[in-house]
Amino acid sequence: MTTTLITGASSGLGAEMARQLAARGHDLALCARRTDRLEELRTEITAAHPDRRVEVAALDVTDPDAVRACFRDFDDRFTTTGGVERVVVNAGLGKGAPLGTGGDAANRETATTNVLGALAQVESAVELFRAAGRGHLVVVSSIAALRGLPRTVTTYAASKAFVAHLVEGLRTELGDGRAGRGVPGIDLTVLYPGYIVSEMNDVEASSSPLMSSTEKGVRSMVAAIEKRVASACVPPLPWAPLSLVLRHAPQPLLRRMV
């Protein structure tokens, strides 16, 4: 049994990850800004799985001191069962506007949450894992991180690329705990979700033929998490093959694609 901490767990992908991980036998530490939704989710999960333990806390990931305090508090709450063993850095924003068109407030908000907020979460998670000598860090990036993208997603795509490179740097430093190199027992996973229905998607985007339901998309995410893979495009179809096209398409073709 693993205790998994999920940020941004009040809705969307985070909430569905909590449901599916609980069904697989994991205890949960859930945090987000909206505690009313967290309480509702806790009630739902414990009703469906009475043997699961679910702890919740309010958290604004853009406050690094609050992130560190929250993660430590969760670790203390679960100390009798080994503390927090996995952290899923999921909290994020998808707001944005084309650069130079007056939408800089939305771009700054997304960059602050997805870059500085993610950095605070990774710092706090790895601090716990270094002390314990084990752990599993999961970072939710995006398929958009594979290339610089135009218009309203320029800042979002860049912020998600930051997250992926942050973990790549950690991997270079720590090695692979599973292979007996670097810091034993610390595993690192980067997820690149494609189009999955969540509160971040607008109504128009949800009609895309490439869009997966929340349940199906998260099922792929949870499967990759449980396998502790280094990285995964999720769902694998169509996003694993499409990721190759996205990475290598020449600029004129990419412009037409997106």
Side-chain angles (χ1 to χ4, degrees):
M1 182 172 64
T2 297
T3 297
T4 297
L5 189 162
I6 305 173
T7 65
S10 60
S11 64
L13 305 184
E16 184 60 24
M17 272 190 278
R19 294 185 186 97
Q20 294 193 22
L21 286 168
R24 287 174 175 245
H26 300 301
D27 289 336
L28 299 167
L30 308 178
C31 49
R33 289 178 295 178
R34 295 174 291 189
T35 55
D36 56 334
R37 290 198 176 189
L38 288 178
E39 293 290 355
E40 291 172 2
L41 181 60
R42 171 161 62 179
T43 299
E44 174 193 337
I45 290 173
T46 54
H49 310 285
D51 54 342
R52 294 280 60 79
R53 181 180 173 189
V54 181
E55 297 285 339
V56 301
L59 179 62
D60 178 354
V61 298
T62 64
D63 181 342
D65 292 332
V67 173
R68 178 174 282 106
C70 179
F71 283 24
R72 287 178 175 175
D73 178 58
F74 275 138
D75 196 50
D76 289 341
R77 292 197 221 178
F78 285 95
T79 187
T80 57
T81 53
V84 171
E85 298 160 276
R86 174 186 291 136
V87 173
V88 181
V89 178
N90 170 71
L93 285 180
K95 297 180 180 180
L99 298 177
T101 62
D104 48 309
N107 290 332
R108 279 199 306 274
E109 189 176 357
T110 290
T112 299
T113 299
N114 295 1
V115 174
L116 298 181
L119 178 60
Q121 293 169 75
V122 171
E123 287 269 18
S124 297
V126 176
E127 184 178 301
L128 291 180
F129 297 159
R130 285 182 189 272
R134 57 95 183 98
H136 182 198
L137 176 66
V138 180
V139 170
V140 180
S141 180
S142 170
I143 204 76
L146 301 181
R147 288 289 289 272
L149 298 180
R151 298 182 289 277
T152 59
V153 293
T154 301
T155 300
Y156 173 77
S159 71
K160 288 300 188 178
F162 170 85
V163 169
H165 280 272
L166 196 65
V167 176
E168 184 63 24
L170 263 176
R171 198 185 310 281
T172 302
E173 175 187 348
L174 301 181
D176 187 341
R178 290 162 298 180
R181 299 187 296 272
V183 178
I186 298 183
D187 298 328
L188 304 167
T189 296
V190 182
L191 299 179
Y192 297 91
Y195 297 159
I196 301 173
V197 174
S198 72
E199 288 192 1
M200 196 178 294
N201 307 130
D202 57 31
V203 175
E204 182 180 350
S206 66
S207 64
S208 168
L210 297 177
M211 186 72 72
S212 297
S213 69
T214 306
E215 182 179 357
K216 177 183 175 182
V218 171
R219 191 181 305 121
S220 295
M221 296 174 70
V222 168
I225 290 171
E226 292 280 68
K227 292 176 182 176
R228 297 183 177 233
V229 300
S231 65
C233 296
V234 289
L237 292 175
W239 295 107
L242 283 180
S243 70
L244 299 176
V245 177
L246 189 59
R247 285 180 191 273
H248 301 292
Q251 202 76 42
L253 177 58
L254 180 67
R255 194 175 295 116
R256 290 197 297 272
M257 290 171 57
V258 298

